[in-house]
Amino acid sequence: ERKVIRDATVNAETQNYTEALDALQSTVKKMDGYVQSSRVSGNSLNDSESSGRLRTAYLTLCVPADKLDDFLGQVDGTLNVTYSQVTEQDVTAEYYDLKSRMDTLNVEKQRLTEMLENSEQVGEMLEIEKRLYDIIEEYEAKQTQMNVYATGIAYSRVNLTLSEVRSLSQADTSFGERFLNAASMSWHNFGQGFLNFLIWFVSAIPTLLLLVVIVGAVVTIILSSNRRTRKKRQAMMEDQ
């Protein structure tokens, strides 16, 4: 039998934060799961200080592994899910290797216990007790590891981030839809920019005309001054 640990990560939004949080916890309880950890930050949407960051709940939920898909379906049906990922870790080999080692340790523990009961020499008894202590210590460490595997296999852990928002994000679209939306937005921005330029150009015509007159006058003055300077130089050269 395969031993698989299935976990999930979910990011979701809601405009009804308190009701959504209560519904999540109620659903977990009905599925014979439990809340492993919970942390909340931010201000309520109705709070006078909510102009800043709204509330966000960071939850670690544990639900029976065979009910994970059902739970995720209910979450998707009641909340605006913006991200969801399920991971699977096959621990079959590790699980049975660990179980085999524990069985071996248990057999050796029983054998050493019998030897200790039948031993009459102090030196031998001390050696058996030391070996027995090492066996018990290793077995307990393996048992702790086995409990971690057993819990992970029996219960799926869902790391869920629930964010309170004023308006819900739109669901992800396909690549084609995103491409068309981007192209449409680009043309819209181009058209809007060109229209803004025309408006600016029309409104700036008087100023532009004034600048043309001023520049023209300055150029005329400079050219006229240059011509007078050249004529004076020529006249001085002729006098010499």
Side-chain angles (χ1 to χ4, degrees):
E1 182 184 1
R2 289 183 66 220
K3 302 296 180 180
V4 180
I5 296 175
R6 298 183 71 219
D7 293 327
T9 301
V10 178
N11 296 340
E13 300 174 336
T14 181
Q15 292 173 303
N16 302 306
Y17 177 85
T18 302
E19 294 83 350
L21 191 57
D22 291 342
L24 274 174
Q25 294 174 342
S26 176
T27 300
V28 170
K29 186 176 181 180
K30 288 179 180 178
M31 291 186 172
D32 298 324
Y34 58 93
V35 178
Q36 187 177 69
S37 65
S38 175
R39 180 171 63 87
V40 177
S41 65
N43 300 313
S44 168
L45 184 63
N46 300 320
D47 197 314
S48 59
E49 300 178 356
S50 64
S51 56
R53 184 182 176 190
L54 298 180
R55 287 177 293 183
T56 301
Y58 304 93
L59 307 171
T60 300
L61 310 172
C62 295
V63 297
D66 58 349
K67 298 180 181 178
L68 175 62
D69 294 332
D70 185 25
F71 174 76
L72 294 177
Q74 292 194 38
V75 170
D76 189 53
T78 56
L79 301 175
N80 186 47
V81 176
T82 59
Y83 175 83
S84 180
Q85 181 185 35
V86 176
T87 60
E88 293 189 358
Q89 180 185 4
D90 192 327
V91 295
T92 305
E94 294 88 340
Y95 179 90
Y96 285 109
D97 284 347
L98 185 61
K99 186 175 183 303
S100 177
R101 179 56 182 166
M102 290 179 65
D103 290 342
T104 300
L105 290 172
N106 197 36
V107 170
E108 189 171 358
K109 175 186 172 183
Q110 294 177 359
R111 183 176 62 82
L112 288 172
T113 301
E114 293 175 357
M115 289 176 60
L116 183 61
E117 291 175 351
N118 297 327
S119 178
E120 296 180 354
Q121 298 181 4
V122 176
E124 184 182 46
M125 292 174 63
L126 292 175
E127 290 182 4
I128 295 174
E129 286 179 347
K130 183 180 181 304
R131 178 55 185 161
L132 187 59
Y133 175 80
D134 292 339
I135 292 296
I136 293 174
E137 186 177 32
E138 184 180 356
Y139 184 89
E140 290 178 348
K142 300 296 184 184
Q143 183 64 63
T144 299
Q145 190 175 354
M146 177 61 78
N147 291 341
V148 172
Y149 278 140
T151 301
I153 294 168
Y155 285 88
S156 292
R157 180 179 297 160
V158 181
N159 294 312
L160 192 149
T161 301
L162 178 63
S163 301
E164 182 180 29
V165 295
R166 292 183 175 85
S167 58
L168 300 176
S169 301
Q170 293 184 354
D172 290 340
T173 55
S174 65
F175 171 79
E177 291 174 329
R178 292 199 302 270
F179 178 81
L180 292 176
N181 290 339
S184 176
M185 183 61 68
S186 297
W187 278 109
H188 173 76
N189 292 338
F190 173 78
Q192 192 65 37
F194 184 71
L195 180 61
N196 292 336
F197 171 76
L198 287 179
I199 295 173
W200 171 84
F201 182 77
V202 171
S203 64
I205 285 178
T207 303
L208 293 175
L209 290 176
L210 179 60
L211 288 175
V212 170
V213 172
I214 293 174
V215 171
V218 171
V219 171
T220 301
I221 293 172
I222 293 173
L223 292 176
S224 177
S225 176
N226 289 338
R227 283 196 297 269
R228 286 197 298 268
T229 301
R230 284 197 300 270
K231 287 180 179 181
K232 287 181 180 180
R233 287 178 179 175
Q234 289 176 358
M236 291 176 63
M237 292 176 65
E238 289 175 356
D239 291 341
Q240 293 176 355

